[in-house]
Amino acid sequence: MKKIIALASFLIMGGLIILASCKKDELNNNRTNPPVTSNDSTLKLSPFPWGAALNINTLKNNAKYASTVVKEMQSVTAENAMKMGALSTGRGQYKWEDADDLVNFAQTYNLRIHGHALVWYKQSGTSMPAWVIHFSGTKEEWKQIMKEHITAVVTRYKGKVTSWDVVNEAIKDDGTFRPASECIWTKNIGVPEYIDWAFQCAHEADPDALLFYNDFGHEYSSAKRTGVNNLVAGMKQRGVPIHGIGMQMHTGIHRNVNDIRTAITTAASTGLLVHISELDIKVNNELAQGITFTEDLAQKQSYHYQMVSKFMKDIPEKQCFGITMWGVHDSSSWLHSNPDWPLLFDNDFERKPAYYGAVKGFQ
Ligand code: XIL
């Protein structure tokens, strides 16, 4: 019964999407700057997939949001719905609805699914459930609860989710592992042991899934880049299954693009897959209040998008896993209230100069 309801709601959503995209084409035909024809300037012409992190409520309630994803994206990530604290309500207890909805949507529209994130140190919001924060046990018991979680989630979506961020943010900006005082996994299992263990458990649950180590800061910290490359070199040496590096890349126009290039080429030097996994390009890093999104800022942002896209295209194609935007349109960005306008589509889902920059970059 549940399945039938889910299917029916996606069929309705599908209808809305077709309607919305017809309307959108009319709108596009009226645009003067720059003109969009049926086969130019689309992200789908990219040699690597572009994707977006999705908010499930917005996906269900905003047809334009859903139609933009279907029209422009080839890959999706749950912004929050697959985090441990969103999924697990108690040991062995799960609420799957939101994650299932995302997976059903992606399968209906033939979108690749990237899973995010199996193990994370963070304890706020949906990052980690209270029962884990308050768990006490031996090292073996901690390894066991981690394994149970990874096995439950990866098994449920086996064959549907292509790839996983297995461990998120284990390394600090100075290149050292997040210590026991910051990370309960380091405290109770040890590092890099907990990282190796997480990857082994994920691989055991789905031997075909591509497994990523995901982190931020590669574009501003050379120590972080070194720390990440040392970690993956060690994992390979220890025979731990790892297939890719995720660079979150929450960046901005204040960054020098050469540093972004160095981040991408350094990750590629490992020979692993490279995923820009959470891209947004801020224009208001200073959190200035009362500013507006001017044409000048839009052009600067467009240039940064162009460069990120180009630098990805420049690495060997077989290592290029894709670029995932951390949100769809500006008003759905986690940074929107800064205020900021960090994404490819504006508040009305119109393509921004950023979009055309991204397209120019891979052409
Ligand atoms: C963020 C989400 O975008 C927010 O909605 C949530 O409140 C907090 O988490 N690094 C990550 C992402 O790996 O999971 C974070 O997502 C952003 C930083």
Side-chain angles (χ1 to χ4, degrees), residues 117-256:
L118 296 169
V119 175
W120 195 10
Y121 80 94
K122 268 237 164 109
Q123 301 194 354
S124 58
T126 51
S127 312
M128 193 184 284
W131 74 267
V132 173
I133 297 171
H134 299 120
F135 185 78
S136 93
T138 62
K139 175 176 170 178
E140 285 315 308
E141 286 164 340
W142 275 92
K143 286 178 79 171
Q144 185 55 31
I145 62 164
M146 183 189 277
K147 181 172 182 148
E148 284 171 15
H149 175 71
I150 292 174
T151 306
V153 179
V154 175
T155 304
R156 184 172 185 90
Y157 300 119
K158 186 175 175 180
K160 297 179 177 175
V161 167
T162 302
S163 49
W164 285 99
D165 290 332
V166 179
V167 174
N168 198 28
E169 304 181 353
I171 296 174
K172 302 206 313 170
D173 283 353
D174 66 4
T176 61
F177 287 119
R178 219 168 272 289
S181 57
E182 285 180 38
C183 173
I184 57 170
W185 307 112
T186 304
K187 183 174 164 198
N188 293 291
I189 299 175
V191 70
E193 187 172 344
Y194 90 78
I195 301 176
D196 289 3
W197 178 243
F199 278 77
Q200 281 155 351
C201 295
H203 184 67
E204 201 179 300
D206 183 357
D208 294 327
L210 297 169
L211 307 181
F212 283 76
Y213 173 74
N214 196 53
D215 213 326
F216 62 89
H218 306 72
E219 71 283 13
Y220 63 78
S221 165
S222 69
K224 173 78 81 139
R225 295 193 283 270
T226 307
V228 171
N229 281 19
N230 286 343
L231 168 68
V232 304
M235 289 171 76
K236 284 198 220 168
Q237 217 167 38
R238 296 189 292 276
V240 177
I242 175 162
H243 310 106
I245 294 179
M247 283 179 286
Q248 296 183 7
M249 201 71 78
H250 296 291
T251 189
I253 59 172
H254 60 294
R255 295 276 174 224
N256 184 327

Side-chain angles (χ1 to χ4, degrees), residues 53 55 77-80 83 116-117 120 122 124-127 165 168-169 214-216 248 250 277-278 280 326-327 332-335:
N55 175 294
T77 301
E79 183 174 3
N80 291 303
K83 290 173 182 171
H116 170 86
W120 195 10
K122 268 237 164 109
S124 58
T126 51
S127 312
D165 290 332
N168 198 28
E169 304 181 353
N214 196 53
D215 213 326
F216 62 89
Q248 296 183 7
H250 296 291
S277 55
E278 303 182 16
D280 36 40
W326 206 242
S332 61
S333 164
W334 69 313
L335 305 172

